[in-house]
Structure formats: structure tokens, C-alpha cells
Amino acid sequence: MKYLMLIVLSVFLFSPPVVAQNAYLNVSPKVCVVSELQEFCDLDLKFNWQLEAPSDVCLYQQNKLIKCWQEQAFGEFEYKARVQVETIYSLINPHTGVLIAKTHIEVQSADAKKSRRRLRSPWSYF
């Protein structure tokens, strides 16, 4: 019995944070297009989020704290960001560390491939 309680407690403590099911975080724009001359984007991001019930939440860019709200069920926020690689934004409960919702910004290159890939093998007759 003692070992069973130890196992249950350790699974609870060391399991990854659970994402809330009915919460969302949205960011706009979702894509950053970089050119060969410039390796980053300067974006004016617009965030909006909503929770099931009012709670304390903080918005993070990767592991960097951006802003916190207290006892809010929804919110909007504008933020200027410089993006070079795919960047993840997340809403986290500051007291428990539980991930509530997350979203990301993709980075794409404006330089399209100049050559096309062959659709058929060079040895094919058809």
C-alpha cells in the first residue's frame, strides 16, 4: 500500500503540465516571411485569449515573460516582436506553472526554389 501511494504521488508530481481543454490563445499574424537580405521579421502581433473561468495568467514568448493578468477570463494584447525562427507563445498559470493554451508563429523564406523537382525518374519512359 505504501508503494502504491508513492507511485501515484510520483506520477502526479512528475507528469507534464496539462493543457486546459476549453481555453484558447490566438495570435495574428501567424506567419513571418523572411527574405535573403533580412533574416528576421518585425511584427505587430495581436493576441486574444479566452478561458472557462477568470484566472491569473501570464503570456510567455518561449520562456520570456511578456505580460500577466489577474482574475481575467479573456483578454487582448498588442506586442511588437522580432522573429527569426518559429516562436511559441503560451498562456501559463503563474501560481501552478500549468500550461493553459499555446500558439506559434511560423517563419518562411521568401526565396522560392529556382529549380523544380523532377516528378519522374530519369530512366522512366512514361
Side-chain angles (χ1 to χ4, degrees):
M1 185 68 173
K2 202 187 304 185
Y3 294 112
L4 179 62
M5 291 299 289
L6 181 62
I7 291 171
V8 170
L9 182 61
S10 64
V11 167
F12 178 72
L13 290 176
F14 296 110
S15 63
V18 177
V19 177
Q21 295 298 320
N22 295 325
Y24 79 86
L25 172 63
N26 190 29
V27 64
S28 169
K30 289 190 174 289
V31 178
C32 163
V33 180
V34 295
S35 66
E36 188 176 298
L37 301 174
Q38 191 172 3
E39 296 178 357
F40 58 86
C41 293
D42 286 324
L43 298 173
D44 291 325
L45 300 175
K46 294 181 182 177
F47 292 94
N48 58 45
W49 54 270
Q50 186 168 352
L51 309 174
E52 280 185 6
S55 179
D56 294 350
V57 293
C58 292
L59 178 66
Y60 284 85
Q61 174 185 358
Q62 308 293 78
N63 293 323
K64 177 185 167 193
L65 176 65
I66 297 177
K67 182 170 174 71
C68 289
W69 294 269
Q70 293 182 349
E71 289 298 316
Q72 298 291 316
F74 61 91
E76 293 181 354
F77 179 63
E78 293 185 11
Y79 180 69
K80 291 186 181 289
R82 177 166 282 185
V83 178
Q84 290 179 300
V85 296
E86 181 181 51
T87 305
I88 298 172
Y89 292 91
S90 41
L91 274 181
I92 296 177
N93 182 315
H95 308 296
T96 62
V98 172
L99 174 65
I100 299 169
K102 68 179 179 178
T103 188
H104 69 279
I105 296 177
E106 294 179 28
V107 177
Q108 296 179 353
S109 175
D111 300 327
K113 292 184 179 178
K114 304 254 188 296
S115 62
R116 291 179 43 139
R117 186 177 72 85
R118 273 185 85 113
L119 298 177
R120 286 183 259 155
S121 299
W123 51 265
S124 174
Y125 290 111
F126 300 105

